[in-house]
Amino acid sequence: MKTALITGITGQDGSYLAELLLEKGYKVYGVVRRSSTTPYERIAHLMDRVELLSADLLDQHSLVDAIAACAPDEIYNLAAQSFVQTSWTQPVLTGEFTAMGVTRALEAFRKAAPNARFYQASSSEMFGRVVETPQTEMTPFYPRSPYGVAKVYGHWITVNYRESYGLYAISGILFNHESPRRGLEFVTRKVTDAVARIKLGLATEVRLGTLDARRDWGFAGDYVEAMWRMLQLDEPQDFVIGTGHTWSVQQLCETAFGVVGLDYRSYVKQDARFMRPAEVDLLVADPTKARALLGWTPTVSFEQLIEMMVEADLTRHRARG
């Protein structure tokens, strides 16, 4: 039985990854921050099958102790301050978690389990103001937010540890991936939740920033499969993961409202409060390398994904009465 340690196990990706690894027969440990509350909603159905360890990306010693305690074969570093908009209001905290937190995790890995394999969650936001389309593993980075800058640091420090210490440390440059477990602050879930509330008479509008920005959106459950496949290769290497297709926020709205037979134009209002100081206009992956070397392709289409999210939000609000 292999052992895996997941930081960020209570998040969207962490919960799907934990499910996948348990299905594959792994012993799964998750890192959680000590808190007076227990926000474990996404992994509530897994609590009797995973073991949680208390540690924090801001505390080096706790990470060393956590890794030493479970002696993992694989480490998945998914924890971060992951909301782009927040990175402008909390840029220093974003840097501490999303940039320096990676260094702390790598140091703990190097000291406590150097023979393990390490996955770093990189992001398409690193490409930012893109210099070529679509984006590949060789596309230069041009981040347009404190979050994107922090992710670039995390990506390159992972490369540095791999090359400097001979560690199996890789990054997956994942494009936007969504699900019913996505946080309500992210635009896809903000829209699908609003659609459900509007359909049920609980709201009358949803306010968004730009409708022109285009993203490569896929299903998070597909993307954690790619993470796992990366760590099964003989040689460590980085991969871009995405669908290779792009949709605008406007198309997202059209699709989501269409699920319940509504016209988005009657309910979507643009609001300057939600405009980014520096917008990322277009992100789209070239997943050729992932298809060739990992045998990975997405299984859920954009339309299926959005319908899945709308239906889940309808079910949730109906259950609340």
Side-chain angles (χ1 to χ4, degrees), residues 181-194:
R181 301 178 193 175
R182 189 58 139 159
L184 287 168
E185 68 273 24
F186 291 88
V187 68
T188 47
R189 186 74 192 290
K190 182 178 180 178
V191 169
T192 62
D193 180 71

Side-chain angles (χ1 to χ4, degrees), residues 192-194 196-197 200 202 312-321:
T192 62
D193 180 71
R197 288 186 292 110
L200 297 174
L202 303 174
D313 282 322
L314 282 167
T315 300
R316 180 171 57 89
H317 284 295
R318 284 170 178 152
R320 290 178 174 178

